[in-house]
Amino acid sequence: MYGWRGRIGLLVPSINTTMETEFWRIAPHGVSVHSARIAGGRHGTPEELRSMENASKTAAEEVAMVEPDVVVYGCTSGSFFEGPEWNKKICSQLSAITKAPTVTTAGAMADSLMTGGHRKVDIVTPYVELTNERLKQFLKAHGVDVVRLGTFDMLDMFDHAKIQPEEIYQKVKDTTTADTEAVFVACTQLRALEVLDILERDLGKPVYSAVQASAWQAFEAMGVDPQISHCGSLLRRLSEPGANKRSPLRRSA
């Protein structure tokens, strides 16, 4: 059976064309990715983002059939928009359905920054102003201050995938300030994964992405070291001596 090392149940917005591709690109030998699509979310309005909470339950019922070892709710704005407690509620609901620990992209974003000890960060997003403000509030609740936010300011979430990696690279460089400790590229629809290493070399600080952080937390939850050295320092951490191989999300042995 594929996924003998671990099976990831990936829940993505129905319009997302990036996250599945990037997850398969970095899935290590023995790890499989099984997707279900969350209806709605194209226009990123508050109503659509809230409606995805209920739609995700149907998607979770579908992916539960493969008995995943971890479930990933792969929408950044869909998991931070109503704050930390809403994010926890989503995790609880999906875990109850799938009988597996649940990772949300917003939770992975906050955890990756806090684990790295980053309290002052710059953020790049494709979002409109209201969503950007909610993102700042979400991180603030986790003790992380957003110093500068650069945005492509696009409401149609399908169009987010049309932003090229080189455009993301330039937006990050234009946004980054000297006194911040890290940069996070939000949205699982952005093709940021392939420029993370280049950005870290050129900026001299950690640069994370929504897909990368989600994968990082999923691998930790499964207790799998992916041995990835080409997608930014966050995923390399799992292979470093003394790295924490047991996430609190993991099932008890």
Side-chain angles (χ1 to χ4, degrees):
M1 177 185 286
Y2 287 106
W4 49 267
R5 213 172 152 199
R7 290 185 296 279
I8 298 172
L10 179 61
L11 310 181
V12 295
S14 55
I15 50 85
N16 193 298
T17 62
T18 300
M19 192 173 195
E20 290 163 297
T21 305
E22 293 196 340
F23 255 59
W24 271 114
R25 176 185 168 192
I26 61 177
H29 182 61
V31 172
S32 57
V33 182
H34 308 274
S35 303
R37 309 195 81 76
I38 305 168
R42 174 157 188 161
H43 299 294
T45 63
E47 293 75 21
E48 282 193 329
L49 293 175
R50 294 184 189 110
S51 72
M52 288 175 65
E53 177 196 347
N54 281 326
S56 69
K57 298 174 188 176
T58 301
E61 290 172 355
E62 295 172 357
V63 85
M65 299 300 288
V66 304
E67 299 182 7
D69 295 289
V70 64
V71 171
V72 178
Y73 181 85
C75 182
T76 321
S77 54
S79 47
F80 71 63
F81 195 78
E82 294 291 355
E85 292 305 314
W86 194 55
N87 179 64
K88 291 177 183 178
K89 177 185 175 184
I90 291 171
C91 289
S92 177
Q93 290 175 161
L94 299 183
S95 290
I97 294 169
T98 61
K99 304 299 188 288
T102 297
V103 169
T104 69
T105 301
M109 172 179 64
D111 287 348
S112 65
L113 294 173
M114 291 189 296
T115 299
H118 311 309
R119 300 300 176 183
K120 294 171 62 179
V121 303
D122 295 313
I123 302 288
V124 166
T125 88
Y127 306 137
V128 295
E129 183 178 1
L130 174 60
T131 309
N132 285 329
E133 287 303 313
R134 292 293 183 93
L135 187 155
K136 291 179 184 178
Q137 293 169 18
F138 183 85
L139 288 179
K140 183 72 172 178
H142 288 85
V144 179
D145 290 322
V146 177
V147 175
R148 177 185 280 182
L149 189 147
T151 180
F152 290 96
D153 193 23
M154 300 168 67
L155 187 59
D156 191 323
M157 296 175 75
F158 187 75
D159 287 343
H160 296 174
K162 299 175 184 177
I163 301 170
Q164 295 300 303
E166 56 267 31
E167 296 177 271
I168 296 169
Y169 171 90
Q170 192 59 53
K171 180 68 75 173
V172 170
K173 288 202 74 177
D174 291 344
T175 300
T176 304
T177 53
D179 59 346
T180 52
E181 302 150 351
V183 185
F184 196 95
V185 182
C187 185
T188 59
Q189 184 77 312
L190 289 185
R191 283 179 55 194
L193 192 65
E194 56 208 273
V195 295
L196 296 181
D197 268 348
I198 300 171
L199 280 165
E200 290 191 332
R201 287 197 297 269
D202 291 353
L203 296 176
K205 66 178 70 177
V207 182
Y208 307 142
S209 81
V211 172
Q212 177 212 46
S214 300
W216 165 76
Q217 198 159 67
F219 293 143
E220 279 206 326
M222 294 188 297
V224 168
D225 181 350
Q227 293 287 317
I228 296 172
S229 60
H230 59 281
C231 294
S233 58
L234 181 62
L235 289 172
R236 284 197 297 273
R237 279 186 201 164
L238 288 171
S239 301
E240 293 174 351
N244 178 19
K245 297 295 194 298
R246 185 172 181 84
S247 165
L249 288 169
R250 286 185 63 191
R251 289 169 167 158
S252 299

